Amino acid sequence: MIKSIFVVDSTQNVIAERHFFGVIDRSILTRFFETAHRGEPVIELGANYVIPISVKDVQFIAITDEESSPMMVITFLHRISGLARLYFDDVTAKVLKDNFITVYQLIDEICDGGHPMNTEPNVISTLVDPTSRSAAKSATEEIHDKKLPTECMTAIPWRGGGITHSRNNVYFDIVENVDAVIDSSGVSSSASVRGHIDMKCNLSGTPDLLLEFSDPSALSDCCLHPCVRLKRFEEQKVVSFIPPDGVSRLLSYRSARMSAAIPFYTTPTVMWNGKNKSGRLKLSCGTRGGYEASGVTIRIPMGEGINIGTVDVNTGKTAVDIKARVLEWKVGSVSSDLKPELKVIIENEEGEGKPKQLPVASVRFSCVQKRSLSGLHIRKLTLSREKYKFFKGVKYIIRAGKFEVRF
């Protein structure tokens, strides 16, 4: 049970707050920010427990004084953040301040007496008008205009009645974030996948879907949408559900198995001539299988004792933060025809010879391909309870998660 929720910006100013059992003084936030909690998910402050999450320059903070499931609270805070992103397209302090009335309305609708209630976007969008026009209405207008959503009157809270579409289609995005460590020879020393299946459903009526996979053993540590029938999933490894209308996340999963090569590769090199104080760092990258990677960005924190000298690239743009000793290379799009290359002169200010600790680069990229890394593949989608033809689309997206390259 949650006692209070605070939304705070990067300067520790409160954007919104809601209290469910008495008012908790804002001084608890001062104590929280003064405490060196080092990113712990739960911080104990006297008789209270503080559970924060960070999204860009905003922190969503929940306060409780009794035993609660931390993961439930963290997931709930992420639901608030997700709804804010759905309503405002972005989650920043400025955006939330400009729409603080809607922020209060969202918190009031999804949390009742400190207990998380319905957080389905399809239902919330009928309770809280996404347009700012609703905030300007008078109380009388609200009483006459407001209608009880049909989702609240059915046994299927994520889907209302009377839904019709001129074209019936459903799209699935299988998105896999690959966490990998690439060693100095360009070989992956460890790799795993964190994935999820996003769905956009435009089906009329109340369809019942059955989603079957070619190799469901790729799924582990699954987190399912409430619409998925849990018992059938556990016994048969199929996803049977009545889908929410619109966009939703059907399930998320982990996989330690890699059935295909990572479509993006890097080749790091450090060259040092004898006991010289300066050397050269070289990094090249590319794609495999004829695919194209977009949004490629490589960030290299040099660390203490290494100065950044001349930077040379054959494509993209670079930015150097001399004080922080960080080099960022915005490559952009990379195809199999292009081999981007970075060359940097670095200097060891601690003495002659190669530095004891070489930099570790972090990489971001996104790649659309014909199959997933884990081997998860949608084999069949069956529709029942409704009699019409529909179109099914599937897309596989590979993204960099915690993707590190060691020199």
Side-chain angles (χ1 to χ4, degrees), residues 12 27-37:
Q12 303 179 15
S27 61
I28 193 171
L29 297 178
T30 304
R31 293 162 55 199
F32 164 71
F33 287 113
E34 290 176 349
T35 303
H37 48 81

Side-chain angles (χ1 to χ4, degrees), residues 24-214:
I24 294 183
D25 194 88
R26 289 187 180 183
S27 61
I28 193 171
L29 297 178
T30 304
R31 293 162 55 199
F32 164 71
F33 287 113
E34 290 176 349
T35 303
H37 48 81
R38 298 179 182 177
E40 288 96 338
V42 181
I43 299 95
E44 184 178 0
L45 293 178
N48 295 303
Y49 297 92
V50 181
I51 303 177
I53 68 165
S54 297
V55 180
K56 293 188 176 180
D57 60 345
V58 179
Q59 280 196 310
F60 296 85
I61 301 173
I63 312 292
T64 181
D65 63 350
E66 61 180 29
E67 283 293 334
S68 299
S69 170
M71 283 306 301
M72 181 273 291
V73 179
I74 292 171
T75 301
F76 176 68
L77 293 177
H78 278 291
R79 287 294 181 92
I80 298 177
S81 168
L83 285 169
R85 183 176 291 104
L86 183 66
Y87 270 71
F88 315 130
D89 296 328
D90 199 5
V91 183
T92 64
K94 184 181 184 305
V95 170
L96 297 185
K97 287 176 183 177
D98 292 342
N99 299 275
F100 74 95
I101 293 178
T102 307
V103 174
Y104 274 104
Q105 289 177 323
L106 290 174
I107 295 175
D108 286 342
E109 291 295 345
I110 66 178
C111 192
D112 185 10
H115 295 279
M117 301 299 287
N118 198 333
T119 59
E120 279 299 317
N122 295 318
V123 180
I124 298 302
S125 63
T126 62
L127 295 169
V128 180
D129 193 342
T131 64
S132 58
R133 177 175 53 84
S134 64
K137 287 184 177 182
S138 67
T140 305
E141 289 175 319
E142 283 289 330
I143 292 172
H144 289 292
D145 292 348
K146 198 68 177 178
K147 295 180 180 179
L148 188 65
T150 56
E151 293 89 338
C152 299
M153 299 183 289
T154 69
I156 311 173
W158 54 84
R159 187 177 184 90
I163 296 175
T164 58
H165 293 281
S166 58
R167 294 183 179 180
N168 293 292
N169 49 58
V170 58
Y171 299 95
F172 296 97
D173 285 351
I174 298 183
V175 183
E176 294 193 336
N177 299 288
V178 55
D179 298 334
V181 176
I182 310 299
D183 61 23
S184 57
S185 61
V187 178
S188 172
S189 59
S190 67
S192 61
V193 165
R194 293 177 290 111
H196 57 263
I197 301 178
D198 289 337
M199 176 181 63
K200 183 178 182 180
C201 178
N202 296 321
L203 298 177
S204 304
T206 309
D208 200 322
L209 299 180
L210 179 64
L211 189 65
E212 300 178 60
F213 303 106
S214 59

